[in-house]
Amino acid sequence: MTSIKSAWSALGGDPALLARTSTVVREGALAARLPVRELARACVGACALAGAELGAHRAALPQVPAVRVDDGAVAAAFHSERLLLVDGRAPVSFAPLSRLWRTADGWVRTHANYPHHRERLLRALGGVEPDVSAVEAALAGRAAVEVEESVYAAGGLAVALRTPEEWARHPQAAALSGRPLVERERLDDAPARVLAPLDATPLLPAAGIRVLDLTRVLAGPVATRTLALLGADVLRIDAPHLPELPDQHADTGFGKRSALLDLAADRAAFEELLADADVVVTGYRPGTLDRFGLSPRALAERRPGIVVAQVSAWGAYGPWAQRRGFDSLVQVATGIAVTEGSAQAPGALPAQALDHGTGYLLAAAVLRALTEQTRQGGSRCVRLALARTAAWLTGGGATDTAGPHQPYDGPEPWLAETDSALGRLRYARPAVSFADGPADWARPSGRWGADPARWA
């Protein structure tokens, strides 16, 4: 069931704390055939409860602060990258070659927002010109699965459209079926974490926690943006040769600092950062960063007591574990696009709900790991995957509808504006909310890569 209760259970939370949550139901928010609104509410609610739990522990409160989940705020947050305005300009979302295409036997979805992915796609198609007509012609006579395999072999991103039944028979679906929604692992017997007590308002559960953010695109940055909201010192590190999309960074950079660092050439600088980090969040393919000594166990050996949080598209197991992926591709491969439309006319979820939902669950898993460390010690690793969140969405019913019902008339009540180094930003305010907690980020997004690679 896509409910706060099931999300909280997946996080290992105390079921008694669910009584501290309440919901404002808004009919029409995130409308879809699948229970997208319920999934979004569950992920945000569980994250807020995890923050409230940690905050109560650190502030020695007699009870966990009340959590209020408003469907309107959640819907706005799940559309944050679409609602962003920079000096009144709407964001650039998908590039022209990132779309669904007709093939000889169905449909294929490509992702080519980044220049290197676009070049690999074009190379796999025989070096065609980078325009819609040329790619359309190249794909029209080919089978969808053949395109999927050839583009992947070239290092690009493409998936064939599958029905839910076809995905259920796929080996990757089988590899994920026995995995929990949130994988939680204790890595060693490091001493219990001691966190400084909190006595200020707003209550910032993650105050003093240093987070190394090695994520890109949406799910990972949503998680670290949420940790920054709750007081963490988040330093995002990117390789200089992998530039970020400016609007994407503007949306997910709230509360963080952003630096450039080559992990191979500047290894000593990275090790200095790691020596004082409490949390490392990674959003690359499973195993990609292991050669830099960034596997969970290698990190725990060098930094006992660390929390390692990993997010990927397809999961760390199965034949697709090493494949790149994005929300739009996972929707097409797992049958969601057919459910929301048809095999003849594929549809899509009303938001990139797999990315956003997984991001909030990842932040919640980090918060719960920190809480558990204060009681039981141990370095921790938590893992999530968009495809596993997709299975939760497609296998769950609509629940958690108790509470006041109010109309949803659009996102305007949950939007705000602020000046920044990027210009005047209109943005979606945080959806994570609990009594005496933060109402907004401490700082707006800054320029990508403009900060020094050191802790504040």
Side-chain angles (χ1 to χ4, degrees):
M1 289 290 186
T2 46
S3 64
I4 296 177
K5 179 179 180 180
S6 62
W8 189 240
S9 175
L11 293 163
D14 179 357
L17 296 183
L18 290 167
R20 301 299 297 158
T21 65
S22 62
T23 300
V24 178
V25 178
R26 296 187 187 269
E27 299 295 344
L30 296 172
R33 293 177 179 175
L34 289 166
V36 176
R37 181 182 60 181
E38 289 74 20
L39 175 138
R41 181 194 300 149
C43 296
V44 170
C47 184
L49 187 56
E53 176 192 34
L54 179 59
H57 174 74
R58 295 187 64 182
L61 301 178
Q63 63 179 352
V64 169
V67 169
R68 184 174 183 267
V69 188
D70 190 311
D71 283 349
V74 172
F78 269 56
H79 285 119
S80 64
E81 74 281 3
R82 304 181 191 181
L83 294 170
L84 176 76
L85 293 179
V86 182
D87 286 333
R89 176 186 59 80
V92 177
S93 53
F94 287 105
L97 301 187
S98 296
R99 50 171 278 189
L100 279 160
W101 307 86
R102 280 278 192 184
T103 63
D105 60 350
W107 295 87
V108 69
R109 181 63 159 86
T110 58
H111 196 288
N113 283 6
Y114 290 98
H116 57 294
H117 291 157
R118 182 188 64 210
E119 296 307 315
R120 293 167 185 173
L121 169 65
L122 297 173
R123 185 167 65 247
L125 298 180
V128 300
E129 291 298 314
D131 63 72
V132 170
S133 296
V135 174
E136 194 170 47
L139 292 172
R142 301 174 67 171
V145 171
E146 187 270 324
V147 172
E148 177 183 272
E149 292 302 321
S150 63
V151 173
Y152 166 69
L157 294 113
V159 298
L161 177 73
R162 291 175 172 82
T163 66
E165 295 75 22
E166 288 170 335
W167 176 249
R169 296 192 295 269
H170 194 279
Q172 189 61 29
L176 290 172
S177 63
R179 298 285 172 179
L181 175 63
V182 181
E183 296 187 41
R184 302 159 53 241
E185 181 182 5
R186 179 169 173 159
L187 300 172
D188 58 25
D189 294 319
R193 181 182 291 273
V194 179
L195 293 173
L198 300 177
D199 58 4
T201 301
L203 182 64
L204 298 173
I209 298 296
R210 288 174 166 170
V211 178
L212 266 181
D213 179 1
L214 306 178
T215 69
R216 292 174 64 80
V217 194
L218 204 51
V222 165
T224 51
R225 181 181 68 184
T226 304
L227 295 173
L229 169 73
L230 300 178
D233 178 8
V234 178
L235 179 62
R236 174 167 164 167
I237 298 293
D238 283 284
H241 67 282
L242 289 176
E244 182 58 287
L245 303 175
D247 291 342
Q248 194 164 263
H249 173 71
D251 171 52
T252 60
F254 279 84
K256 312 177 191 178
R257 290 176 298 113
S258 170
L260 302 181
L261 192 68
D262 186 318
L263 295 186
D266 300 322
R267 187 56 181 270
F270 178 79
E271 291 297 326
E272 287 183 13
L273 291 172
L274 177 63
D276 290 321
D278 301 291
V279 178
V280 176
V281 186
T282 69
Y284 293 81
R285 288 174 297 148
T288 300
L289 297 176
D290 289 6
R291 67 183 185 277
F292 298 109
L294 297 177
S295 70
R297 293 198 178 277
L299 286 168
E301 288 175 2
R302 303 205 300 287
R303 181 71 167 127
I306 197 81
V307 174
V308 183
Q310 300 178 321
V311 61
S312 63
W314 307 106
Y317 313 94
W320 280 17
Q322 294 302 305
R323 295 200 176 192
R324 299 172 179 86
F326 295 95
D327 182 302
S328 58
L329 301 181
V330 176
Q331 288 190 43
V332 169
T334 60
I336 289 174
V338 172
T339 299
E340 290 296 325
S342 68
Q344 294 71 39
L349 299 177
Q352 294 190 67
L354 305 180
D355 263 333
H356 285 276
T358 305
Y360 285 108
L361 285 178
L362 188 68
V366 169
L367 295 165
R368 289 245 58 253
L370 292 170
T371 298
E372 290 178 343
Q373 284 182 325
T374 65
R375 298 164 179 164
Q376 304 163 6
S379 302
R380 307 281 171 145
C381 177
V382 296
R383 294 188 186 92
L384 286 97
L386 304 190
R388 182 62 186 84
T389 304
W392 186 45
L393 172 64
T394 56
T399 56
D400 280 348
T401 53
H405 285 240
Q406 298 183 19
Y408 178 68
D409 297 321
E412 285 73 19
W414 298 281
L415 300 180
E417 293 191 5
T418 185
D419 291 318
S420 76
L422 304 174
R424 184 72 175 173
L425 301 180
R426 187 192 76 171
Y427 63 98
R429 290 191 286 112
V432 170
S433 177
F434 51 85
D436 295 323
D440 210 337
W441 289 276
R443 64 172 70 90
S445 299
R447 297 192 182 280
W448 180 79
D451 296 300
R454 60 174 181 265
W455 294 113

